[in-house]
Amino acid sequence: METPISCPAKDRRGSELFLSYAAGLMSTPERATFESHMVDCTECRRVAEEQKRVWSVLDALPVPAISSNFDERLYARIAAEERRPWWQSVLHPGFSFRFSTAAPVAAACAALAVMLVMRTPHPAPAPVQPAPATATVQQKLDPNQIEQNLDDLDMLRQLTAPASEASNGQS
Amino acid sequence: MTAAAACIERDADLMLRVREGDDVSFALLLEKHRRPLIHFLYRMVQNQAVSEELAQEVFLRVYKARLSYEPTAKFTTWLFRIASHLAINWLRDRRNERSQDSLDQTNPDGMQVQVADTSLTREEELIRQARLAEVRRAIETLPPKQRAAVMMHKYQEMGYAQIAKALNCSESAVKSLLFRAYETLRARLAHMV
């Protein structure tokens, strides 16, 4: 015997039912219960019918063919990006300042500077030395790339483990 | 192991190989996700050139992040998170830039691709194009985040949890976004048969 349901059209949470119904994602018992309710509920019948129409209208929306040289352009872009020195990335019009990333970095730099100043006992005259080997390494660092990677990895880290998603059954 | 779980492991495995310098694995990921990603972006921005440009940016970012990649989340969720982030930003920037421009098909930058159905008469084709334009206008009235939620829900068949992760919000927020978006679409499109 079907369990009667409270009217989904009168409950905001009921919108999920209309979406599931239109998408054909309801189980057979859920569908039977919902359809049984709609026999007597004109409002739910109307919303369900409208949602189905929206669904089919969206299905009919065409998408264009993908350019045949898409991959070629992407690989050229990747190659260009790998060749580009870091200072060009900074001067590039696409470079964008991200406060969320820059602020912690600036704070860390400031803290480091303060620590260095405090830990230096005397301003002793240092002998002039040749440039340290790290200079070469520093030149190879790309701040823009690091910043962008941090940004992208931030997005990745905020997501939970894939195991929980696998349980959702989505591909 | 379910097919979905195997698919997740496969993507993560490929990405780990990309991290080790295997470009063939990157090509496999590109082959697998290129079409759904570009179609998602096209439905978001309604512009073929821009959708491909944004898709290239997504794949470029994935490639650049390969050395630090850790499989802490489903690859497609990460991919669509970057994609929706870029598309939403593009829509917001564009809205600020061109408040007076027409949203219809006469847009000078070739917004929509007109795919003619050769089985129809000229009159039927005109009616079809008018209907498609109406659908596109209805989608364009949706705020960027609602639009992204609908596109992922309708076309990528993502669940509420996955959309929530891609849009960096709660599941209840996703349900609210979808409720409002479909309400708008029903009001504008339900008269179409």
Side-chain angles (χ1 to χ4, degrees):
Chain A
M1 185 177 167
E2 292 159 6
T3 312
I5 57 173
S6 60
C7 182
K10 292 173 186 165
D11 180 1
R12 194 172 168 121
R13 286 171 297 181
S15 61
E16 284 177 55
L17 287 178
F18 293 111
L19 298 185
S20 300
Y21 183 70
L25 295 174
M26 276 183 169
S27 65
T28 309
E30 277 178 328
R31 189 177 184 85
T33 306
F34 190 53
E35 286 180 342
S36 166
H37 168 78
M38 283 195 292
V39 169
D40 297 321
C41 183
T42 52
E43 179 61 9
C44 280
R45 221 165 39 234
R46 181 188 66 78
V47 177
E49 186 56 38
E50 285 181 357
Q51 185 62 39
K52 268 191 167 179
R53 273 188 230 150
V54 166
W55 209 255
S56 64
V57 161
L58 291 176
D59 275 332
L61 205 58
V63 283
I66 297 166
S67 302
S68 56
N69 64 346
F70 179 85
D71 289 6
E72 192 185 324
R73 283 187 288 135
L74 175 63
Y75 286 123
R77 210 167 147 181
I78 287 173
E81 195 72 28
E82 302 250 294
R83 284 195 304 269
R84 195 159 65 167
W86 68 267
W87 54 268
Q88 274 190 9
S89 302
V90 173
L91 296 175
H92 190 264
F95 176 78
S96 61
F97 177 83
R98 290 182 183 85
F99 185 77
S100 59
T101 310
V105 171
C109 288
L112 195 63
V114 168
M115 272 176 57
L116 284 173
V117 168
M118 289 177 71
R119 289 175 68 95
T120 305
H122 309 291
V128 177
Q129 291 184 354
T134 52
T136 316
V137 177
Q138 283 171 349
Q139 281 179 343
K140 289 180 182 172
L141 291 176
D142 180 347
N144 184 43
Q145 183 169 339
I146 291 168
E147 182 225 18
Q148 196 173 64
N149 287 354
L150 283 171
D151 202 35
D152 292 338
L153 286 166
D154 268 351
M155 292 186 186
L156 183 60
R157 283 194 199 101
Q158 285 168 22
L159 304 172
T160 57
S164 63
E165 291 183 69
S167 64
N168 291 338
Q170 296 289 331
S171 63
Chain B
M1 183 188 293
T2 65
C7 189
I8 289 166
E9 286 200 358
R10 169 104 177 119
D11 282 346
D13 186 44
L14 286 172
M15 196 57 203
L16 287 171
R17 288 189 209 166
V18 175
R19 189 177 74 176
E20 301 305 317
D22 179 9
D23 287 344
V24 175
S25 293
F26 182 74
L28 289 172
L29 281 171
L30 176 61
E31 180 64 29
K32 182 180 173 187
H33 297 287
R34 184 201 305 112
R35 183 179 296 276
L37 188 76
I38 294 176
H39 286 175
F40 166 74
L41 287 164
Y42 175 75
R43 290 178 177 119
M44 282 294 289
V45 302
Q46 307 271 315
N47 180 311
Q48 185 179 9
V50 172
S51 63
E52 290 195 3
E53 184 66 22
L54 293 177
Q56 295 220 341
E57 181 65 27
V58 174
F59 285 117
L60 183 65
R61 287 187 179 204
V62 167
Y63 189 80
K64 283 164 75 174
R66 70 193 182 284
L67 296 177
S68 327
Y69 175 77
E70 292 295 338
T72 54
K74 189 175 175 182
F75 179 79
T76 48
T77 308
W78 183 39
L79 200 67
F80 277 88
R81 182 160 182 166
I82 299 172
S84 52
H85 178 74
L86 289 173
I88 288 169
N89 280 349
W90 186 86
L91 288 168
R92 285 177 180 158
D93 291 347
R94 188 164 175 276
R95 190 174 51 190
N96 293 337
E97 282 171 12
R98 41 138 255 170
S99 54
Q100 78 284 10
D101 283 2
S102 165
L103 291 175
D104 64 23
Q105 295 169 15
T106 58
N107 196 301
D109 59 0
M111 286 294 283
Q112 287 91 29
V113 172
Q114 302 304 304
V115 183
D117 185 339
T118 51
S119 66
L120 301 177
T121 64
R122 176 150 178 76
E123 188 181 353
E124 286 169 337
E125 178 58 23
L126 285 172
I127 292 170
R128 177 177 165 274
Q129 293 294 351
R131 285 164 53 87
L132 290 177
E134 190 172 349
V135 177
R136 289 184 181 118
R137 276 195 297 271
I139 292 172
E140 287 187 356
T141 60
L142 299 177
K145 209 163 178 177
Q146 282 186 29
R147 201 187 300 189
V150 168
M151 298 304 140
M152 283 189 263
H153 178 255
K154 172 72 182 85
Y155 298 105
Q156 311 313 133
E157 297 182 354
M158 288 183 179
Y160 299 124
Q162 198 180 358
I163 298 172
K165 284 171 187 163
L167 293 178
N168 193 25
C169 59
S170 65
E171 274 190 59
S172 59
V174 167
K175 287 175 187 174
S176 179
L177 284 172
L178 287 171
F179 174 82
R180 281 180 279 138
Y182 281 119
E183 197 173 44
T184 304
L185 292 176
R186 283 200 301 269
R188 294 185 65 115
L189 300 175
H191 66 280
M192 298 174 84
V193 180

